[in-house]
Amino acid sequence: MNTPDNGVRSTDGPVVALVPAAGRGVRLGESAPKAFVPVGGTPMVRLAVEGLIASGAVERIIVMVPAELVDSAVALLPPTNSVQVVVGGAERIDSVRAGIAAAPDAAYFLVHDAARALTPPELIARVAAELRAGRPAVVPGLPVADTIKSVDAVGAVTGTPDRARLRAIQTPQGFAADLLRSAYAPEGIQATDDAGLVERLGVAVHTIPGDPLAFKITTPLDLRLADAVLDGAGIGRAVTP
C-alpha cells in the first residue's frame, strides 16, 4: 500500500460528509439509538445533516444507520438528492467504511458525529476550506480547561500533561479522500477517532479552533444542555422541507 505524502496540496472535486449514526448510545439512557433521539424536538441526526447543508461546503452527505432504521432515516432527513442513507455497521469503524465505499468519487471527506448536532455551519465550512487550501487532514479542537492526569491500571497518577499543549478534538474531521481510504484499508484497526488512524500513516493532522457548540451529546446531562441551548438561542437550520 502506498502511503499518502505529508505535503500540502490542492485538489478539485466533491466534499462528501460521512455521518455515522448506527451507534446505540447506551450512556444517553434512551431507548432509541442515540442519533435518533430528539434535541429540541428534532432528531440529532437531522440537526447534524441540516448543519452540513447550511455550511454550503458539502456536495453530498452519506448517513450510515442500522439496517432496520434505513426507512425511518430517509423519512426524517431533508428530502434532497444530496443526502443518501446507507446501512452502517456494528462498530463506528464499520459504518465509516460503508460510507467511504458509497463515495468512490469523493475528493475530500468530512466525518461528522451525529451526536455533535449543534455544530455551527461556519465551523464545518472552515474545515472544508482548509482541505481545499491543501491541508490533507484537519480537525477542530478546543483548549482543555481541566487539569488532565494520566493514571495506571489501579488509578495511581503517573503524570500530568501540560494542558497548554492539549486539545479536546471535535468533528467534522476533514481528510483528503485518498488519505482516509488508506487509513481505513487495514483490517482489525481500532481508534477513538478518524484522525488517530491517519496519524498512524505518519501524516500530520492540522488543528483549527473548534467551537463550544460542537460538544458531543453523550450523557443525559449533555442532552439537557443541548435542549437548553436550542431553547435559549433559537438555533436552527434553514433547510427547505
Side-chain angles (χ1 to χ4, degrees):
M1 178 182 70
N2 293 325
T3 300
D5 62 66
N6 233 353
V8 173
R9 58 219 170 156
S10 182
T11 304
D12 292 330
V15 176
V16 177
L18 307 179
V19 183
R24 295 296 170 180
V26 174
R27 286 177 291 176
L28 195 57
E30 298 283 337
S31 58
K34 179 166 63 175
F36 293 80
V37 172
V39 176
T42 303
M44 286 188 218
V45 66
R46 171 146 185 152
L47 288 173
V49 168
E50 287 179 348
L52 289 163
I53 294 172
S55 75
V58 176
E59 280 74 28
R60 289 173 56 208
I61 301 166
I62 300 174
V63 183
M64 297 79 77
V65 305
E68 69 274 15
L69 292 177
V70 169
D71 290 342
S72 298
V74 170
L76 67 84
L77 290 173
T80 168
N81 291 334
S82 65
V83 178
Q84 177 184 359
V85 177
V86 302
V87 176
E91 303 293 337
R92 183 182 186 278
I93 199 164
D94 301 315
S95 291
V96 176
R97 275 203 178 104
I100 291 172
D105 61 328
Y108 306 98
F109 285 117
L110 299 185
V111 187
H112 188 40
D113 293 333
R116 297 185 188 273
L118 306 188
T119 300
E122 295 79 11
L123 177 58
I124 298 166
R126 282 194 282 121
V127 173
E130 290 283 338
L131 290 175
R132 290 210 179 272
R135 299 281 188 186
V138 182
V139 298
L142 291 176
V144 175
D146 295 325
T147 295
I148 304 297
K149 302 284 187 183
S150 58
V151 299
D152 64 16
V154 296
V157 172
T158 59
T160 306
D162 178 8
R163 69 182 182 187
R165 298 174 61 86
L166 300 176
R167 295 293 182 271
I169 299 303
Q170 303 175 320
T171 72
Q173 298 189 359
F175 308 95
D178 59 346
L179 177 58
L180 193 65
R181 292 185 187 108
S182 294
Y184 269 86
E187 295 296 328
I189 53 174
Q190 294 294 331
T192 57
D193 71 345
D194 304 282
L197 298 178
V198 167
E199 290 160 26
R200 294 180 186 180
L201 298 180
V203 175
V205 177
H206 180 68
T207 63
I208 64 170
D211 191 291
L213 286 175
F215 69 94
K216 191 173 185 180
I217 303 169
T218 302
T219 68
L221 180 59
D222 297 330
L223 186 57
R224 291 179 64 185
L225 174 60
D227 282 329
V229 168
L230 283 179
D231 288 343
I235 294 174
R237 321 295 197 222
V239 177
T240 302

